[in-house]
Amino acid sequence: MLLLEKSEEDFYREPNAKIIFRADAAYIPAVEARAKEFESPYYKVNKTRSTLMEFQNRNASKVYALAQFCQLNGFGLKNVIAFDDTTNDNEMLKAVAAGVCMINGLDDTKAMAYILLSNW
């Protein structure tokens, strides 16, 4: 289905899927820099691999989903250990008791993780 919206605000009023932009790794830094020129209250942009940029609704996050799961099951985020490896996971890893990043994760995610897992 193709949706045509009159404004950015209209587009982000309803839930929508994220957009993943894939390009040669040599072009991604330029895409990342250009995307920063258009920061928006409606979406966020993350480089998730050397060849991928993700544009997603600011209201869609793993932290929100995880917090809802915790609430439904009677415990809080500070009772959770989360594992992941890319920039779009940093918010979730910071919100839990222990954020774990794999050794092959992105540098910013490894830097903020509580635990870094090496290959077994």
Side-chain angles (χ1 to χ4, degrees):
M1 174 192 300
L2 178 63
L3 297 175
L4 255 20
E5 300 292 353
K6 294 179 181 169
S7 71
E8 185 178 60
E9 182 179 3
D10 289 341
F11 181 73
Y12 286 101
R13 184 169 289 132
E14 297 295 324
N16 54 66
K18 66 181 163 183
I19 298 166
I20 299 176
F21 180 84
R22 183 174 180 209
D24 186 277
Y27 294 109
I28 291 296
V31 173
E32 186 175 23
R34 184 76 169 137
K36 287 180 181 179
E37 294 177 21
F38 298 97
E39 288 189 8
S40 167
Y42 305 108
Y43 65 86
K44 55 187 170 184
V45 181
N46 291 302
K47 180 173 88 175
T48 54
R49 288 280 174 247
S50 63
T51 58
L52 296 177
M53 294 291 296
E54 294 186 10
F55 298 75
Q56 73 182 57
N57 189 315
R58 281 198 182 275
N59 297 320
S61 76
K62 292 179 181 181
V63 172
Y64 178 79
L66 189 55
Q68 294 300 306
F69 176 83
C70 290
Q71 183 178 1
L72 289 171
N73 290 282
F75 57 91
L77 288 170
K78 295 305 176 189
N79 299 101
V80 173
I81 297 173
F83 296 74
D84 237 313
D85 61 353
T86 62
T87 302
N88 67 333
D89 306 315
N90 290 357
E91 182 184 26
M92 176 184 64
L93 296 185
K94 287 179 193 173
V96 298
V100 180
C101 182
M102 283 59 81
I103 195 73
N104 65 340
L106 295 180
D107 288 340
D108 62 322
T109 306
K110 290 190 288 189
M112 57 75 45
Y114 181 74
I115 299 169
L116 184 60
L117 289 182
S118 62
N119 295 335
W120 295 70

